[in-house]
mmCIF file with all atom_site columns, all heavy atoms in Angstrom:
data_model
loop_
_atom_site.group_PDB
_atom_site.id
_atom_site.type_symbol
_atom_site.label_atom_id
_atom_site.label_alt_id
_atom_site.label_comp_id
_atom_site.label_asym_id
_atom_site.label_entity_id
_atom_site.label_seq_id
_atom_site.pdbx_PDB_ins_code
_atom_site.Cartn_x
_atom_site.Cartn_y
_atom_site.Cartn_z
_atom_site.occupancy
_atom_site.B_iso_or_equiv
_atom_site.pdbx_formal_charge
_atom_site.auth_seq_id
_atom_site.auth_comp_id
_atom_site.auth_asym_id
_atom_site.auth_atom_id
_atom_site.pdbx_PDB_model_num
ATOM 1   N N   . ARG A 1 1  ? 2.725  -109.888 9.949  1.00 98.00 ? 213 ARG A N   1
ATOM 2   C CA  . ARG A 1 1  ? 1.362  -110.397 10.073 1.00 98.00 ? 213 ARG A CA  1
ATOM 3   C C   . ARG A 1 1  ? 0.732  -110.532 8.706  1.00 98.00 ? 213 ARG A C   1
ATOM 4   O O   . ARG A 1 1  ? 1.110  -109.840 7.747  1.00 98.00 ? 213 ARG A O   1
ATOM 5   C CB  . ARG A 1 1  ? 0.504  -109.488 10.967 1.00 98.00 ? 213 ARG A CB  1
ATOM 6   C CG  . ARG A 1 1  ? 0.218  -108.100 10.389 1.00 98.00 ? 213 ARG A CG  1
ATOM 7   C CD  . ARG A 1 1  ? -0.533 -107.264 11.411 1.00 98.00 ? 213 ARG A CD  1
ATOM 8   N NE  . ARG A 1 1  ? -0.843 -105.927 10.892 1.00 98.00 ? 213 ARG A NE  1
ATOM 9   C CZ  . ARG A 1 1  ? -1.409 -104.966 11.607 1.00 98.00 ? 213 ARG A CZ  1
ATOM 10  N NH1 . ARG A 1 1  ? -1.728 -105.168 12.898 1.00 98.00 ? 213 ARG A NH1 1
ATOM 11  N NH2 . ARG A 1 1  ? -1.654 -103.783 11.063 1.00 98.00 ? 213 ARG A NH2 1
ATOM 12  N N   . GLN A 1 2  ? -0.240 -111.435 8.634  1.00 98.00 ? 214 GLN A N   1
ATOM 13  C CA  . GLN A 1 2  ? -0.966 -111.640 7.381  1.00 98.00 ? 214 GLN A CA  1
ATOM 14  C C   . GLN A 1 2  ? -2.436 -111.827 7.688  1.00 98.00 ? 214 GLN A C   1
ATOM 15  O O   . GLN A 1 2  ? -2.833 -112.777 8.385  1.00 98.00 ? 214 GLN A O   1
ATOM 16  C CB  . GLN A 1 2  ? -0.420 -112.862 6.635  1.00 98.00 ? 214 GLN A CB  1
ATOM 17  C CG  . GLN A 1 2  ? -1.008 -113.037 5.253  1.00 98.00 ? 214 GLN A CG  1
ATOM 18  C CD  . GLN A 1 2  ? -0.213 -114.027 4.417  1.00 98.00 ? 214 GLN A CD  1
ATOM 19  O OE1 . GLN A 1 2  ? 0.563  -114.821 4.923  1.00 98.00 ? 214 GLN A OE1 1
ATOM 20  N NE2 . GLN A 1 2  ? -0.408 -113.965 3.105  1.00 98.00 ? 214 GLN A NE2 1
ATOM 21  N N   . ALA A 1 3  ? -3.225 -110.914 7.170  1.00 97.00 ? 215 ALA A N   1
ATOM 22  C CA  . ALA A 1 3  ? -4.671 -110.995 7.307  1.00 97.00 ? 215 ALA A CA  1
ATOM 23  C C   . ALA A 1 3  ? -5.242 -111.774 6.126  1.00 97.00 ? 215 ALA A C   1
ATOM 24  O O   . ALA A 1 3  ? -4.610 -111.849 5.074  1.00 97.00 ? 215 ALA A O   1
ATOM 25  C CB  . ALA A 1 3  ? -5.267 -109.594 7.359  1.00 97.00 ? 215 ALA A CB  1
ATOM 26  N N   . PRO A 1 4  ? -6.424 -112.342 6.277  1.00 92.00 ? 216 PRO A N   1
ATOM 27  C CA  . PRO A 1 4  ? -7.030 -113.118 5.171  1.00 92.00 ? 216 PRO A CA  1
ATOM 28  C C   . PRO A 1 4  ? -7.135 -112.285 3.902  1.00 92.00 ? 216 PRO A C   1
ATOM 29  O O   . PRO A 1 4  ? -7.618 -111.146 3.930  1.00 92.00 ? 216 PRO A O   1
ATOM 30  C CB  . PRO A 1 4  ? -8.415 -113.472 5.722  1.00 92.00 ? 216 PRO A CB  1
ATOM 31  C CG  . PRO A 1 4  ? -8.247 -113.471 7.197  1.00 92.00 ? 216 PRO A CG  1
ATOM 32  C CD  . PRO A 1 4  ? -7.262 -112.386 7.493  1.00 92.00 ? 216 PRO A CD  1
ATOM 33  N N   . GLY A 1 5  ? -6.654 -112.849 2.826  1.00 94.00 ? 217 GLY A N   1
ATOM 34  C CA  . GLY A 1 5  ? -6.748 -112.180 1.540  1.00 94.00 ? 217 GLY A CA  1
ATOM 35  C C   . GLY A 1 5  ? -5.753 -111.066 1.323  1.00 94.00 ? 217 GLY A C   1
ATOM 36  O O   . GLY A 1 5  ? -5.817 -110.365 0.302  1.00 94.00 ? 217 GLY A O   1
ATOM 37  N N   . LYS A 1 6  ? -4.844 -110.888 2.266  1.00 97.00 ? 218 LYS A N   1
ATOM 38  C CA  . LYS A 1 6  ? -3.856 -109.809 2.145  1.00 97.00 ? 218 LYS A CA  1
ATOM 39  C C   . LYS A 1 6  ? -2.443 -110.366 2.174  1.00 97.00 ? 218 LYS A C   1
ATOM 40  O O   . LYS A 1 6  ? -2.207 -111.490 2.591  1.00 97.00 ? 218 LYS A O   1
ATOM 41  C CB  . LYS A 1 6  ? -4.041 -108.796 3.271  1.00 97.00 ? 218 LYS A CB  1
ATOM 42  C CG  . LYS A 1 6  ? -5.362 -108.045 3.219  1.00 97.00 ? 218 LYS A CG  1
ATOM 43  C CD  . LYS A 1 6  ? -5.392 -106.924 4.245  1.00 97.00 ? 218 LYS A CD  1
ATOM 44  C CE  . LYS A 1 6  ? -6.678 -106.122 4.158  1.00 97.00 ? 218 LYS A CE  1
ATOM 45  N NZ  . LYS A 1 6  ? -6.706 -105.002 5.133  1.00 97.00 ? 218 LYS A NZ  1
ATOM 46  N N   . GLN A 1 7  ? -1.518 -109.538 1.724  1.00 97.00 ? 219 GLN A N   1
ATOM 47  C CA  . GLN A 1 7  ? -0.117 -109.945 1.749  1.00 97.00 ? 219 GLN A CA  1
ATOM 48  C C   . GLN A 1 7  ? 0.453  -109.836 3.156  1.00 97.00 ? 219 GLN A C   1
ATOM 49  O O   . GLN A 1 7  ? -0.037 -109.048 3.971  1.00 97.00 ? 219 GLN A O   1
ATOM 50  C CB  . GLN A 1 7  ? 0.685  -109.061 0.789  1.00 97.00 ? 219 GLN A CB  1
ATOM 51  C CG  . GLN A 1 7  ? 0.412  -109.325 -0.683 1.00 97.00 ? 219 GLN A CG  1
ATOM 52  C CD  . GLN A 1 7  ? 1.379  -108.571 -1.586 1.00 97.00 ? 219 GLN A CD  1
ATOM 53  O OE1 . GLN A 1 7  ? 1.875  -107.509 -1.233 1.00 97.00 ? 219 GLN A OE1 1
ATOM 54  N NE2 . GLN A 1 7  ? 1.642  -109.121 -2.757 1.00 97.00 ? 219 GLN A NE2 1
ATOM 55  N N   . ARG A 1 8  ? 1.481  -110.609 3.393  1.00 97.00 ? 220 ARG A N   1
ATOM 56  C CA  . ARG A 1 8  ? 2.179  -110.523 4.673  1.00 97.00 ? 220 ARG A CA  1
ATOM 57  C C   . ARG A 1 8  ? 2.866  -109.168 4.764  1.00 97.00 ? 220 ARG A C   1
ATOM 58  O O   . ARG A 1 8  ? 3.480  -108.704 3.803  1.00 97.00 ? 220 ARG A O   1
ATOM 59  C CB  . ARG A 1 8  ? 3.201  -111.656 4.801  1.00 97.00 ? 220 ARG A CB  1
ATOM 60  C CG  . ARG A 1 8  ? 3.776  -111.833 6.185  1.00 97.00 ? 220 ARG A CG  1
ATOM 61  C CD  . ARG A 1 8  ? 4.586  -113.111 6.271  1.00 97.00 ? 220 ARG A CD  1
ATOM 62  N NE  . ARG A 1 8  ? 3.764  -114.300 6.061  1.00 97.00 ? 220 ARG A NE  1
ATOM 63  C CZ  . ARG A 1 8  ? 4.210  -115.538 6.262  1.00 97.00 ? 220 ARG A CZ  1
ATOM 64  N NH1 . ARG A 1 8  ? 5.460  -115.743 6.689  1.00 97.00 ? 220 ARG A NH1 1
ATOM 65  N NH2 . ARG A 1 8  ? 3.419  -116.573 6.038  1.00 97.00 ? 220 ARG A NH2 1
ATOM 66  N N   . GLU A 1 9  ? 2.737  -108.536 5.914  1.00 97.00 ? 221 GLU A N   1
ATOM 67  C CA  . GLU A 1 9  ? 3.316  -107.210 6.082  1.00 97.00 ? 221 GLU A CA  1
ATOM 68  C C   . GLU A 1 9  ? 4.158  -107.137 7.344  1.00 97.00 ? 221 GLU A C   1
ATOM 69  O O   . GLU A 1 9  ? 3.905  -107.837 8.331  1.00 97.00 ? 221 GLU A O   1
ATOM 70  C CB  . GLU A 1 9  ? 2.215  -106.141 6.142  1.00 97.00 ? 221 GLU A CB  1
ATOM 71  C CG  . GLU A 1 9  ? 1.272  -106.269 7.318  1.00 97.00 ? 221 GLU A CG  1
ATOM 72  C CD  . GLU A 1 9  ? 0.273  -105.132 7.393  1.00 97.00 ? 221 GLU A CD  1
ATOM 73  O OE1 . GLU A 1 9  ? 0.280  -104.245 6.529  1.00 97.00 ? 221 GLU A OE1 1
ATOM 74  O OE2 . GLU A 1 9  ? -0.538 -105.139 8.356  1.00 97.00 ? 221 GLU A OE2 1
ATOM 75  N N   . LEU A 1 10 ? 5.146  -106.255 7.294  1.00 97.00 ? 222 LEU A N   1
ATOM 76  C CA  . LEU A 1 10 ? 6.004  -106.045 8.447  1.00 97.00 ? 222 LEU A CA  1
ATOM 77  C C   . LEU A 1 10 ? 5.251  -105.296 9.534  1.00 97.00 ? 222 LEU A C   1
ATOM 78  O O   . LEU A 1 10 ? 4.559  -104.309 9.264  1.00 97.00 ? 222 LEU A O   1
ATOM 79  C CB  . LEU A 1 10 ? 7.237  -105.243 8.032  1.00 97.00 ? 222 LEU A CB  1
ATOM 80  C CG  . LEU A 1 10 ? 8.195  -104.860 9.158  1.00 97.00 ? 222 LEU A CG  1
ATOM 81  C CD1 . LEU A 1 10 ? 8.889  -106.089 9.719  1.00 97.00 ? 222 LEU A CD1 1
ATOM 82  C CD2 . LEU A 1 10 ? 9.213  -103.833 8.671  1.00 97.00 ? 222 LEU A CD2 1
ATOM 83  N N   . VAL A 1 11 ? 5.412  -105.770 10.773 1.00 98.00 ? 223 VAL A N   1
ATOM 84  C CA  . VAL A 1 11 ? 4.835  -105.084 11.924 1.00 98.00 ? 223 VAL A CA  1
ATOM 85  C C   . VAL A 1 11 ? 5.924  -104.324 12.672 1.00 98.00 ? 223 VAL A C   1
ATOM 86  O O   . VAL A 1 11 ? 5.801  -103.134 12.951 1.00 98.00 ? 223 VAL A O   1
ATOM 87  C CB  . VAL A 1 11 ? 4.145  -106.074 12.875 1.00 98.00 ? 223 VAL A CB  1
ATOM 88  C CG1 . VAL A 1 11 ? 3.640  -105.359 14.124 1.00 98.00 ? 223 VAL A CG1 1
ATOM 89  C CG2 . VAL A 1 11 ? 2.998  -106.787 12.169 1.00 98.00 ? 223 VAL A CG2 1
ATOM 90  N N   . ALA A 1 12 ? 7.000  -105.020 13.000 1.00 97.00 ? 224 ALA A N   1
ATOM 91  C CA  . ALA A 1 12 ? 8.097  -104.396 13.733 1.00 97.00 ? 224 ALA A CA  1
ATOM 92  C C   . ALA A 1 12 ? 9.357  -105.212 13.517 1.00 97.00 ? 224 ALA A C   1
ATOM 93  O O   . ALA A 1 12 ? 9.281  -106.436 13.332 1.00 97.00 ? 224 ALA A O   1
ATOM 94  C CB  . ALA A 1 12 ? 7.782  -104.305 15.224 1.00 97.00 ? 224 ALA A CB  1
ATOM 95  N N   . VAL A 1 13 ? 10.498 -104.533 13.539 1.00 97.00 ? 225 VAL A N   1
ATOM 96  C CA  . VAL A 1 13 ? 11.768 -105.216 13.325 1.00 97.00 ? 225 VAL A CA  1
ATOM 97  C C   . VAL A 1 13 ? 12.840 -104.566 14.183 1.00 97.00 ? 225 VAL A C   1
ATOM 98  O O   . VAL A 1 13 ? 12.802 -103.358 14.427 1.00 97.00 ? 225 VAL A O   1
ATOM 99  C CB  . VAL A 1 13 ? 12.165 -105.194 11.837 1.00 97.00 ? 225 VAL A CB  1
ATOM 100 C CG1 . VAL A 1 13 ? 12.403 -103.773 11.351 1.00 97.00 ? 225 VAL A CG1 1
ATOM 101 C CG2 . VAL A 1 13 ? 13.392 -106.072 11.584 1.00 97.00 ? 225 VAL A CG2 1
ATOM 102 N N   . ILE A 1 14 ? 13.787 -105.395 14.635 1.00 94.00 ? 226 ILE A N   1
ATOM 103 C CA  . ILE A 1 14 ? 14.957 -104.885 15.331 1.00 94.00 ? 226 ILE A CA  1
ATOM 104 C C   . ILE A 1 14 ? 16.190 -105.498 14.678 1.00 94.00 ? 226 ILE A C   1
ATOM 105 O O   . ILE A 1 14 ? 16.225 -106.700 14.398 1.00 94.00 ? 226 ILE A O   1
ATOM 106 C CB  . ILE A 1 14 ? 14.927 -105.203 16.842 1.00 94.00 ? 226 ILE A CB  1
ATOM 107 C CG1 . ILE A 1 14 ? 16.164 -104.641 17.535 1.00 94.00 ? 226 ILE A CG1 1
ATOM 108 C CG2 . ILE A 1 14 ? 14.771 -106.697 17.101 1.00 94.00 ? 226 ILE A CG2 1
ATOM 109 C CD1 . ILE A 1 14 ? 16.073 -104.644 19.052 1.00 94.00 ? 226 ILE A CD1 1
ATOM 110 N N   . THR A 1 15 ? 17.184 -104.657 14.408 1.00 93.00 ? 227 THR A N   1
ATOM 111 C CA  . THR A 1 15 ? 18.407 -105.148 13.787 1.00 93.00 ? 227 THR A CA  1
ATOM 112 C C   . THR A 1 15 ? 19.438 -105.503 14.863 1.00 93.00 ? 227 THR A C   1
ATOM 113 O O   . THR A 1 15 ? 19.270 -105.173 16.043 1.00 93.00 ? 227 THR A O   1
ATOM 114 C CB  . THR A 1 15 ? 19.014 -104.095 12.862 1.00 93.00 ? 227 THR A CB  1
ATOM 115 O OG1 . THR A 1 15 ? 19.489 -103.002 13.668 1.00 93.00 ? 227 THR A OG1 1
ATOM 116 C CG2 . THR A 1 15 ? 17.980 -103.590 11.863 1.00 93.00 ? 227 THR A CG2 1
ATOM 117 N N   . ASN A 1 16 ? 20.529 -106.123 14.444 1.00 90.00 ? 228 ASN A N   1
ATOM 118 C CA  . ASN A 1 16 ? 21.554 -106.505 15.412 1.00 90.00 ? 228 ASN A CA  1
ATOM 119 C C   . ASN A 1 16 ? 22.301 -105.290 15.955 1.00 90.00 ? 228 ASN A C   1
ATOM 120 O O   . ASN A 1 16 ? 23.063 -105.412 16.920 1.00 90.00 ? 228 ASN A O   1
ATOM 121 C CB  . ASN A 1 16 ? 22.519 -107.522 14.811 1.00 90.00 ? 228 ASN A CB  1
ATOM 122 C CG  . ASN A 1 16 ? 23.189 -107.015 13.553 1.00 90.00 ? 228 ASN A CG  1
ATOM 123 O OD1 . ASN A 1 16 ? 23.041 -105.847 13.193 1.00 90.00 ? 228 ASN A OD1 1
ATOM 124 N ND2 . ASN A 1 16 ? 23.901 -107.887 12.873 1.00 90.00 ? 228 ASN A ND2 1
ATOM 125 N N   . SER A 1 17 ? 22.083 -104.127 15.373 1.00 91.00 ? 229 SER A N   1
ATOM 126 C CA  . SER A 1 17 ? 22.681 -102.901 15.913 1.00 91.00 ? 229 SER A CA  1
ATOM 127 C C   . SER A 1 17 ? 21.737 -102.192 16.870 1.00 91.00 ? 229 SER A C   1
ATOM 128 O O   . SER A 1 17 ? 22.061 -101.135 17.418 1.00 91.00 ? 229 SER A O   1
ATOM 129 C CB  . SER A 1 17 ? 23.058 -101.952 14.775 1.00 91.00 ? 229 SER A CB  1
ATOM 130 O OG  . SER A 1 17 ? 21.909 -101.553 14.071 1.00 91.00 ? 229 SER A OG  1
ATOM 131 N N   . GLY A 1 18 ? 20.539 -102.764 17.048 1.00 89.00 ? 230 GLY A N   1
ATOM 132 C CA  . GLY A 1 18 ? 19.578 -102.203 17.983 1.00 89.00 ? 230 GLY A CA  1
ATOM 133 C C   . GLY A 1 18 ? 18.561 -101.261 17.381 1.00 89.00 ? 230 GLY A C   1
ATOM 134 O O   . GLY A 1 18 ? 17.705 -100.729 18.082 1.00 89.00 ? 230 GLY A O   1
ATOM 135 N N   . THR A 1 19 ? 18.640 -101.042 16.092 1.00 93.00 ? 231 THR A N   1
ATOM 136 C CA  . THR A 1 19 ? 17.667 -100.169 15.430 1.00 93.00 ? 231 THR A CA  1
ATOM 137 C C   . THR A 1 19 ? 16.320 -100.863 15.332 1.00 93.00 ? 231 THR A C   1
ATOM 138 O O   . THR A 1 19 ? 16.247 -102.021 14.928 1.00 93.00 ? 231 THR A O   1
ATOM 139 C CB  . THR A 1 19 ? 18.151 -99.804  14.032 1.00 93.00 ? 231 THR A CB  1
ATOM 140 O OG1 . THR A 1 19 ? 19.423 -99.157  14.125 1.00 93.00 ? 231 THR A OG1 1
ATOM 141 C CG2 . THR A 1 19 ? 17.162 -98.884  13.342 1.00 93.00 ? 231 THR A CG2 1
ATOM 142 N N   . THR A 1 20 ? 15.275 -100.141 15.716 1.00 94.00 ? 232 THR A N   1
ATOM 143 C CA  . THR A 1 20 ? 13.930 -100.708 15.626 1.00 94.00 ? 232 THR A CA  1
ATOM 144 C C   . THR A 1 20 ? 13.069 -99.873  14.697 1.00 94.00 ? 232 THR A C   1
ATOM 145 O O   . THR A 1 20 ? 13.239 -98.658  14.587 1.00 94.00 ? 232 THR A O   1
ATOM 146 C CB  . THR A 1 20 ? 13.257 -100.787 17.007 1.00 94.00 ? 232 THR A CB  1
ATOM 147 O OG1 . THR A 1 20 ? 13.185 -99.455  17.558 1.00 94.00 ? 232 THR A OG1 1
ATOM 148 C CG2 . THR A 1 20 ? 14.029 -101.675 17.942 1.00 94.00 ? 232 THR A CG2 1
ATOM 149 N N   . ASN A 1 21 ? 12.144 -100.532 14.046 1.00 97.00 ? 233 ASN A N   1
ATOM 150 C CA  . ASN A 1 21 ? 11.193 -99.859  13.182 1.00 97.00 ? 233 ASN A CA  1
ATOM 151 C C   . ASN A 1 21 ? 9.833  -100.510 13.337 1.00 97.00 ? 233 ASN A C   1
ATOM 152 O O   . ASN A 1 21 ? 9.730  -101.721 13.496 1.00 97.00 ? 233 ASN A O   1
ATOM 153 C CB  . ASN A 1 21 ? 11.634 -99.938  11.716 1.00 97.00 ? 233 ASN A CB  1
ATOM 154 C CG  . ASN A 1 21 ? 12.699 -98.920  11.387 1.00 97.00 ? 233 ASN A CG  1
ATOM 155 O OD1 . ASN A 1 21 ? 12.450 -97.713  11.439 1.00 97.00 ? 233 ASN A OD1 1
ATOM 156 N ND2 . ASN A 1 21 ? 13.879 -99.385  11.062 1.00 97.00 ? 233 ASN A ND2 1
ATOM 157 N N   . TYR A 1 22 ? 8.816  -99.673  13.290 1.00 98.00 ? 234 TYR A N   1
ATOM 158 C CA  . TYR A 1 22 ? 7.438  -100.143 13.386 1.00 98.00 ? 234 TYR A CA  1
ATOM 159 C C   . TYR A 1 22 ? 6.656  -99.698  12.162 1.00 98.00 ? 234 TYR A C   1
ATOM 160 O O   . TYR A 1 22 ? 6.905  -98.622  11.616 1.00 98.00 ? 234 TYR A O   1
ATOM 161 C CB  . TYR A 1 22 ? 6.750  -99.573  14.628 1.00 98.00 ? 234 TYR A CB  1
ATOM 162 C CG  . TYR A 1 22 ? 7.303  -100.057 15.949 1.00 98.00 ? 234 TYR A CG  1
ATOM 163 C CD1 . TYR A 1 22 ? 8.374  -99.407  16.548 1.00 98.00 ? 234 TYR A CD1 1
ATOM 164 C CD2 . TYR A 1 22 ? 6.733  -101.146 16.599 1.00 98.00 ? 234 TYR A CD2 1
ATOM 165 C CE1 . TYR A 1 22 ? 8.872  -99.843  17.771 1.00 98.00 ? 234 TYR A CE1 1
ATOM 166 C CE2 . TYR A 1 22 ? 7.218  -101.578 17.824 1.00 98.00 ? 234 TYR A CE2 1
ATOM 167 C CZ  . TYR A 1 22 ? 8.291  -100.923 18.401 1.00 98.00 ? 234 TYR A CZ  1
ATOM 168 O OH  . TYR A 1 22 ? 8.778  -101.356 19.601 1.00 98.00 ? 234 TYR A OH  1
ATOM 169 N N   . ALA A 1 23 ? 5.688  -100.497 11.792 1.00 98.00 ? 235 ALA A N   1
ATOM 170 C CA  . ALA A 1 23 ? 4.754  -100.062 10.756 1.00 98.00 ? 235 ALA A CA  1
ATOM 171 C C   . ALA A 1 23 ? 3.961  -98.870  11.290 1.00 98.00 ? 235 ALA A C   1
ATOM 172 O O   . ALA A 1 23 ? 3.637  -98.818  12.483 1.00 98.00 ? 235 ALA A O   1
ATOM 173 C CB  . ALA A 1 23 ? 3.808  -101.199 10.393 1.00 98.00 ? 235 ALA A CB  1
ATOM 174 N N   . ASP A 1 24 ? 3.634  -97.950  10.411 1.00 98.00 ? 236 ASP A N   1
ATOM 175 C CA  . ASP A 1 24 ? 2.892  -96.762  10.841 1.00 98.00 ? 236 ASP A CA  1
ATOM 176 C C   . ASP A 1 24 ? 1.568  -97.131  11.508 1.00 98.00 ? 236 ASP A C   1
ATOM 177 O O   . ASP A 1 24 ? 1.123  -96.457  12.430 1.00 98.00 ? 236 ASP A O   1
ATOM 178 C CB  . ASP A 1 24 ? 2.624  -95.856  9.637  1.00 98.00 ? 236 ASP A CB  1
ATOM 179 C CG  . ASP A 1 24 ? 3.880  -95.155  9.146  1.00 98.00 ? 236 ASP A CG  1
ATOM 180 O OD1 . ASP A 1 24 ? 4.863  -95.095  9.898  1.00 98.00 ? 236 ASP A OD1 1
ATOM 181 O OD2 . ASP A 1 24 ? 3.868  -94.673  7.994  1.00 98.00 ? 236 ASP A OD2 1
ATOM 182 N N   . SER A 1 25 ? 0.965  -98.209  11.047 1.00 97.00 ? 237 SER A N   1
ATOM 183 C CA  . SER A 1 25 ? -0.356 -98.594  11.549 1.00 97.00 ? 237 SER A CA  1
ATOM 184 C C   . SER A 1 25 ? -0.327 -99.071  13.004 1.00 97.00 ? 237 SER A C   1
ATOM 185 O O   . SER A 1 25 ? -1.384 -99.146  13.639 1.00 97.00 ? 237 SER A O   1
ATOM 186 C CB  . SER A 1 25 ? -0.952 -99.689  10.667 1.00 97.00 ? 237 SER A CB  1
ATOM 187 O OG  . SER A 1 25 ? -0.096 -100.818 10.642 1.00 97.00 ? 237 SER A OG  1
ATOM 188 N N   . VAL A 1 26 ? 0.858  -99.384  13.529 1.00 98.00 ? 238 VAL A N   1
ATOM 189 C CA  . VAL A 1 26 ? 0.931  -99.907  14.898 1.00 98.00 ? 238 VAL A CA  1
ATOM 190 C C   . VAL A 1 26 ? 1.739  -99.002  15.830 1.00 98.00 ? 238 VAL A C   1
ATOM 191 O O   . VAL A 1 26 ? 1.797  -99.268  17.032 1.00 98.00 ? 238 VAL A O   1
ATOM 192 C CB  . VAL A 1 26 ? 1.518  -101.334 14.932 1.00 98.00 ? 238 VAL A CB  1
ATOM 193 C CG1 . VAL A 1 26 ? 0.756  -102.242 13.984 1.00 98.00 ? 238 VAL A CG1 1
ATOM 194 C CG2 . VAL A 1 26 ? 3.006  -101.338 14.609 1.00 98.00 ? 238 VAL A CG2 1
ATOM 195 N N   . LYS A 1 27 ? 2.342  -97.965  15.291 1.00 98.00 ? 239 LYS A N   1
ATOM 196 C CA  . LYS A 1 27 ? 3.143  -97.067  16.125 1.00 98.00 ? 239 LYS A CA  1
ATOM 197 C C   . LYS A 1 27 ? 2.298  -96.488  17.251 1.00 98.00 ? 239 LYS A C   1
ATOM 198 O O   . LYS A 1 27 ? 1.174  -96.048  17.033 1.00 98.00 ? 239 LYS A O   1
ATOM 199 C CB  . LYS A 1 27 ? 3.732  -95.937  15.277 1.00 98.00 ? 239 LYS A CB  1
ATOM 200 C CG  . LYS A 1 27 ? 4.931  -96.337  14.449 1.00 98.00 ? 239 LYS A CG  1
ATOM 201 C CD  . LYS A 1 27 ? 5.474  -95.162  13.650 1.00 98.00 ? 239 LYS A CD  1
ATOM 202 C CE  . LYS A 1 27 ? 6.653  -95.579  12.798 1.00 98.00 ? 239 LYS A CE  1
ATOM 203 N NZ  . LYS A 1 27 ? 7.136  -94.478  11.939 1.00 98.00 ? 239 LYS A NZ  1
ATOM 204 N N   . GLY A 1 28 ? 2.857  -96.509  18.448 1.00 97.00 ? 240 GLY A N   1
ATOM 205 C CA  . GLY A 1 28 ? 2.151  -95.984  19.610 1.00 97.00 ? 240 GLY A CA  1
ATOM 206 C C   . GLY A 1 28 ? 1.232  -96.998  20.277 1.00 97.00 ? 240 GLY A C   1
ATOM 207 O O   . GLY A 1 28 ? 0.741  -96.757  21.372 1.00 97.00 ? 240 GLY A O   1
#
């Protein structure tokens, strides 16, 4: 995601091995 005036940041990702990661700001 990218908010106005800010850099694009990762929100969530899943790899082809099934590993997922979330940004701390959106966890839960």
